[in-house]
C-alpha cells in the first residue's frame, strides 16, 4: 500500500509540474530566434521543490508530452519537430537543469542562498544545451549562437533564478509541513 502511495505521489508530482511548465511556457517575449519564456522559471521552481530525480522526471514528462504533439511548448507549439529544431536544445536542457539544480540542493540544503546558486548554475546548463543545438541546427558560428542563444537571456535568467529560488523554497516548506513531500536531513537541522 505504501509503495502504491509513493508511486501515485510521484506520478502526480510529475504531471503537476509538467503542467506548471506548460502554463508558464505561454508567458513569452518574442525574440528573433528563441523567445524569452516562463519555462525556465518553471524548471527552477520544479527542481527547487521536488529535487533532482522527481524534478528531472517532471521535465522528461513535459518533453515527452510536447514531443508527442500536445501544444505545451512556448507559443502553444508541440511535436517532435520542436525538439529537433533550433529551440529543442533548451527543452532537453530542462531535464539536466532540473536534475543538477535539485542535486545541488539535496547535497547542501533547501535554503534560499543554495537555491539561488543552484538555479543560476541550472540557467547556464539550459543555455549551454540550447545554444549548442541552436548552433548546430542553424549552422551558426559560436559567436552568432551566443548572440542569439545566450546574451539576451542572462539578465532575465538571473531574475528568474532568484524568483524560482524564492517561490520554490517557500512552497517547499509548506509542502513539507503538510506532509505532501518528504523533508531531507538538511531541512530537519
Amino acid at each position: 500500500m505504501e509503495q502504491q502511495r509513493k508511486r501515485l505521489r510521484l506520478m502526480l508530482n510529475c504531471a503537476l509540474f509538467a503542467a506548471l511548465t506548460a502554463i508558464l511556457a505561454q508567458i513569452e517575449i518574442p525574440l528573433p530566434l528563441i523567445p524569452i519564456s516562463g519555462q525556465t522559471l518553471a524548471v527552477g521552481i520544479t527542481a527547487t521543490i521536488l529535487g533532482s530525480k522527481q524534478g528531472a522526471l517532471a521535465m522528461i514528462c513535459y518533453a515527452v508530452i510536447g514531443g508527442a504533439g500536445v501544444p505545451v511548448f512556448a507559443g502553444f507549439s508541440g511535436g517532435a519537430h520542436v525538439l529537433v529544431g533550433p529551440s529543442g536544445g533548451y527543452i532537453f536542457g530542462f531535464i539536466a537543469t532540473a536534475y543538477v539544480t535539485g542535486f545541488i540542493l539535496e547535497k547542501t540544503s533547501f535554503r534560499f542562498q543554495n537555491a539561488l546558486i543552484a538555479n543560476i548554475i541550472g540557467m547556464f546548463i539550459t543555455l549551454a544545451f540550447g545554444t549548442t543545438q541552436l548552433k548546430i541546427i542553424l549552422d551558426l558560428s559560436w559567436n552568432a549562437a551566443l548572440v542569439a542563444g545566450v546574451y539576451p537571456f542572462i539578465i532575465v535568467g538571473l531574475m528568474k533564478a532568484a524568483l524560482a529560488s524564492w517561490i520554490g523554497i517557500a512552497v517547499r516548506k509548506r509542502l513539507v509541513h503538510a506532509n505532501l513531500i518528504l523533508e531531507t536531513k538538511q531541512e530537519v537541522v
Side-chain angles (χ1 to χ4, degrees), residues 68-80:
V70 180
V72 296
F73 299 143
F76 289 106
S77 62

Side-chain angles (χ1 to χ4, degrees), residues 53-140:
K53 292 176 185 160
Q54 284 192 46
L57 282 173
M59 292 306 109
I60 290 169
C61 180
Y62 174 70
V64 167
I65 291 168
V70 180
V72 296
F73 299 143
F76 289 106
S77 62
H81 68 281
V82 177
L83 294 175
V84 298
S87 63
Y90 295 94
I91 297 166
F92 290 119
F94 297 162
I95 299 164
T97 294
Y99 185 84
V100 171
T101 301
F103 183 81
I104 292 169
L105 288 166
E106 290 164 359
K107 293 300 176 189
T108 58
S109 65
F110 285 85
R111 306 233 188 285
F112 176 79
Q113 301 88 318
N114 295 330
L116 181 60
I117 292 166
N119 275 291
I120 290 171
I121 291 168
M123 173 191 76
F124 283 107
I125 291 169
T126 298
L127 292 174
F129 272 77
T131 302
T132 300
Q133 186 162 324
L134 181 68
K135 179 203 180 312
I136 293 167
I137 298 296
L138 297 181
D139 194 28
L140 300 174

Side-chain angles (χ1 to χ4, degrees), residues 23-47:
I23 292 166
L24 290 181
Q26 306 321 314
I27 300 170
E28 65 177 349
I29 300 168
L31 292 177
L33 291 177
I34 307 296
I36 294 173
S37 77
Q39 288 169 301
T40 52
L41 175 61
V43 174
I45 291 169
T46 299

Side-chain angles (χ1 to χ4, degrees), residues 109-186:
S109 65
F110 285 85
R111 306 233 188 285
F112 176 79
Q113 301 88 318
N114 295 330
L116 181 60
I117 292 166
N119 275 291
I120 290 171
I121 291 168
M123 173 191 76
F124 283 107
I125 291 169
T126 298
L127 292 174
F129 272 77
T131 302
T132 300
Q133 186 162 324
L134 181 68
K135 179 203 180 312
I136 293 167
I137 298 296
L138 297 181
D139 194 28
L140 300 174
S141 68
W142 277 111
N143 188 50
L146 291 170
V147 167
V150 173
Y151 301 150
F153 303 102
I154 292 177
I155 299 297
V156 173
L158 292 171
M159 293 188 299
K160 287 193 277 186
L163 190 57
S165 300
W166 179 69
I167 292 170
I169 294 298
V171 171
R172 181 177 173 82
K173 284 181 184 177
R174 286 171 178 79
L175 291 174
V176 166
H177 182 72
N179 292 319
L180 294 172
I181 60 174
L182 301 174
E183 63 187 340
T184 64
K185 294 176 203 167
Q186 294 88 347

